[in-house]
Amino acid sequence: MSERRELSGIGMTSARTRDRLVERLKNEGVHNQAVLERIRSVPRHLFMDEALASRAYEDTALPIGYGQTISQPYVVAVMTEALVEGLPPGKKLTKVLEIGTGCGYQTAVLAPFAQHVYSIERIQPLVQRARANLRELGIGNVSLRHADGWRGWRSQAPFQGILVAAAPVEIPPELLEQLDQGGRLVIPVGPKNRQVLYRATRDGSEIRYEELIPVSFVPLVEGMEA
Ligand code: SAH
């Protein structure tokens, strides 16, 4: 970790600031202890521009450039919890696909719950930034790819979990096709200001849908950045 970034972290990384965030998430209904501990231990300030780093442990989405945002800790916690619910302690999902890497914060939270995370981002400079951030934290079980996540990652399918961090108006069918038996897709769906987080679970040839919480994500854009 570079000295500059380490110094800039003093104060905002204090145990008290992080405890306050975790308390808040508990009050909002997040109860998975492993997820709460992971949120506590991932240094969210390292994923952000220095100008905003002092706000890193507020429970809010913040800009990361290119019109995108780092996900809100509460939503990251709810999505991760929805993906790993019922997983025995110490067990991991085999393969998880993430769409919308952004700066890699959600990827970092997710990493210890999967043997391997495959993550797709359509904006090339964000892929590079996420790669640097994850390397700095020593997170090695992640493959990043600059691509259109709308189609999933067919050569690595099926996935036990798929987590989408941007909202389509309808669920892309290829993501459902790439779900393993019993696998879960956690995805925000709907137009701006009217999105709902869904969990879709593959059960034989059926897909079962559950509505989780109202959310506000940037749109899942089809196609690639030039
Ligand atoms: N979870 C991220 C933030 C996600 S913001 C974090 O913690 O930082 C949503 C991201 O989805 C943006 O970076 C955006 O570029 C990306 N995105 C939108 N449409 C996409 C697509 N079709 N394929 C891959 N990434 C996409």
Side-chain angles (χ1 to χ4, degrees):
M1 195 180 298
S2 77
E3 196 181 352
R4 181 183 61 79
R5 296 189 85 184
E6 199 144 45
L7 285 175
S8 74
I10 291 173
M12 38 211 184
T13 61
S14 80
R16 205 158 10 100
T17 321
R18 294 182 186 207
D19 286 347
R20 223 181 287 133
L21 172 62
V22 167
E23 273 314 303
R24 184 178 165 146
L25 300 187
K26 276 191 205 163
N27 291 336
E28 287 174 344
V30 179
H31 52 261
N32 184 307
Q33 209 50 46
V35 172
L36 289 167
E37 275 315 310
R38 187 61 185 159
I39 296 271
R40 192 199 304 276
S41 66
V42 173
R44 191 169 182 252
H45 65 283
L46 293 186
F47 290 83
M48 310 187 10
D49 289 342
E50 267 180 275
L52 283 170
S54 65
R55 301 184 57 196
Y57 299 96
E58 292 177 16
D59 186 24
T60 177
L62 290 164
I64 53 172
Y66 312 95
Q68 308 304 322
T69 54
I70 182 171
S71 302
Q72 180 190 353
Y74 171 66
V75 177
V76 169
V78 168
M79 291 178 89
T80 309
E81 191 169 70
L83 208 64
V84 304
E85 196 184 331
L87 199 66
K91 281 257 181 210
K92 293 177 193 247
L93 299 168
T94 315
K95 285 180 170 187
V96 173
L97 173 67
E98 178 187 48
I99 315 282
T101 322
C103 63
Y105 172 66
Q106 162 83 72
T107 324
V109 171
L110 201 55
F113 297 101
Q115 282 173 19
H116 204 88
V117 179
Y118 298 83
S119 188
I120 305 180
E121 168 58 54
R122 66 184 282 280
I123 300 177
Q124 173 68 29
L126 286 177
V127 179
Q128 284 160 0
R129 194 187 302 175
R131 186 165 286 135
N133 288 339
L134 295 167
R135 189 181 302 132
E136 192 170 350
L137 294 179
I139 295 172
N141 62 330
V142 175
S143 302
L144 300 183
R145 181 177 172 193
H146 176 222
D148 176 10
W150 201 275
R151 281 167 193 82
W153 192 324
R154 196 175 300 172
S155 62
Q156 291 297 341
F159 299 97
Q160 283 70 55
I162 302 181
L163 191 155
V164 186
V169 175
E170 281 176 30
I171 297 182
E174 295 204 38
L175 297 185
L176 292 171
E177 285 163 19
Q178 292 177 23
L179 265 188
D180 202 356
Q181 204 45 256
R184 291 160 168 169
L185 165 66
V186 178
I187 184 169
V189 183
K192 210 171 168 14
N193 302 323
R194 277 188 294 127
Q195 298 167 2
V196 173
L197 190 65
Y198 282 89
R199 177 166 65 180
T201 306
R202 176 170 292 285
D203 182 1
S205 56
E206 307 274 289
I207 304 278
R208 190 159 39 82
Y209 294 90
E210 296 160 89
E211 272 188 41
L212 304 180
I213 53 169
V215 284
S216 177
F217 275 87
V218 297
L220 184 74
V221 180
E222 199 168 358
M224 288 291 292
E225 194 70 355

